[in-house]
Amino acid sequence: MMEEDNFSPEERAAIYRCIRERRDVRRNFLPDPVPPDVLARVLAAGHAAPSVGFLQPWNFIVIRESATKEALHAAFTRANAEAAAMFEGERAELYRSLKLEGLREAPLLLCVTCERERAGPVVLGRTHQSEMDIYSTVCAVENIWLAARAENLGVGWVSILALADLHRILAIPDPIVPIALLCMGYVDHFAHKPDLERTGWRKRLALDDLVFEERFGEREKTPVSG
Amino acid sequence: MMEEDNFSPEERAAIYRCIRERRDVRRNFLPDPVPPDVLARVLAAGHAAPSVGFLQPWNFIVIRESATKEALHAAFTRANAEAAAMFEGERAELYRSLKLEGLREAPLLLCVTCERERAGPVVLGRTHQSEMDIYSTVCAVENIWLAARAENLGVGWVSILALADLHRILAIPDPIVPIALLCMGYVDHFAHKPDLERTGWRKRLALDDLVFEERFGEREKTPVSG
């Protein structure tokens, strides 16, 4: 290993801190705009994601107009009413109490899409696992999310919308796949825990229970946390 | 924003460096084992990924035995012969010259899977975009990749295998979806550019060409790089 390739302990700590303190943010957005140079760095982080066959299949739609945000919010509201009806009793009550989007409050929305035919039908690395280009685009979303956290920007992934509404409102042609709609902006604080953990929707699983050795279902002899 | 929530310029630079210098590594692995505490940190980074409905749908299979690596390599070899036949002329020649896996050389392989039914059929946030749990798992893969880079570990995503072979070799039950097979280990150096860029397989696209404003296909008035 060449010395200059190494990350220092301080750099490593910063990266782990960012991964640990990234949150899915749907509230507490401040109205301050995201400066163009900050947005450019965050988008460049997305563009630096790994991609199958170096396809770089992504596009980034930056949304700032109120009319677009309102249309997306209306689509969310329709979908969320359908979603709420799928839960029962106390779960339905808790569901309805959750804030699951920040589409109107966030100063900026970002839609990340995947163009599957960007290099024709045959793509190196996609020949046997056909979803690899979609996965590449998701890696770009996670890079954006982490870069945004490093810029002290909150990001929330809003998935409670029909894909047909995303296509229509954002004029996304049919062969292009919308992957993520993100709300983004400065926030007054970052929560210490995920909202769904804090509100008791679901518990944090123990990492040791999720790790297998050699084959699915076979436990580590020594817990990873040991 | 509370001051302690902020990332310092030095921390931010470390995060961008990690995103920029992450590489898809399939060669130059050293035989040194990955220490258990390092692996535990890398897996914890995966487990810290965002997940739809806080589902945490992932499992991590850690593979160290030669017999398993050889079986995976044989599955790669079969798939790669089929893949190579899909390209023609100079592309086929270039394809055959590429090193597309490091399954036998890497001291450790990691398979990341997605259990879609971990919380039953109805999942908050998956009601209208059914692939969200898969996307969550891909976010875990990208976290692992970045954490590994911060630990000076190379990671390569090997996708040229039939999913049926992954199910069989790693005893992954049918309802569980294999998402990524990663080879991981210390390396003698990290390449400055992606292999597929360096070898001329595909060019790096210009970020400005990938960014739209408000709607798909509408250009930014000011380039993001400006």
Side-chain angles (χ1 to χ4, degrees), chain B residues 95-152:
Chain B
Y95 185 95
R96 284 175 216 275
S97 74
L98 297 168
K99 175 91 166 83
L100 297 174
E101 55 75 42
L103 294 168
R104 291 179 301 186
E105 305 93 313
L108 189 148
L109 309 181
L110 187 66
C111 183
V112 183
T113 61
C114 178
E115 181 176 5
R116 310 199 68 180
E117 295 299 298
R118 181 156 286 173
V122 181
V123 173
L124 183 154
R126 197 181 62 179
T127 52
H128 290 72
Q129 296 182 27
S130 61
E131 306 302 302
M132 282 301 296
D133 47 0
I134 303 279
Y135 298 176
S136 301
T137 308
V138 176
C139 288
V141 173
E142 180 65 357
N143 272 11
I144 285 170
W145 212 333
L146 293 169
R149 183 61 190 90
E151 298 281 1
N152 305 308

Side-chain angles (χ1 to χ4, degrees), chain A residues 55-59 115-120, chain B residues 202 205 210 216:
Chain A
L55 187 60
Q56 309 157 75
W58 39 70
N59 283 99
E115 181 177 5
R116 311 199 67 181
E117 295 299 299
R118 181 155 287 173
Chain B
R202 270 180 72 78
L205 302 178
L210 303 173
F216 195 93

Side-chain angles (χ1 to χ4, degrees), chain A residues 47-70:
Chain A
H47 190 41
S51 69
V52 66
F54 204 47
L55 187 60
Q56 309 157 75
W58 39 70
N59 283 99
F60 309 106
I61 311 173
V62 180
I63 298 150
R64 293 191 188 83
E65 290 175 7
S66 291
T68 321
K69 292 176 183 176
E70 290 292 342

Side-chain angles (χ1 to χ4, degrees), chain B residues 185-207:
Chain B
Y186 295 104
V187 288
D188 61 7
H189 78 287
F190 283 89
H192 288 282
K193 290 185 171 186
D195 282 359
L196 295 181
E197 183 179 10
R198 193 178 43 75
T199 55
W201 184 261
R202 270 180 72 78
K203 290 196 169 66
R204 165 72 67 189
L205 302 178
L207 175 57

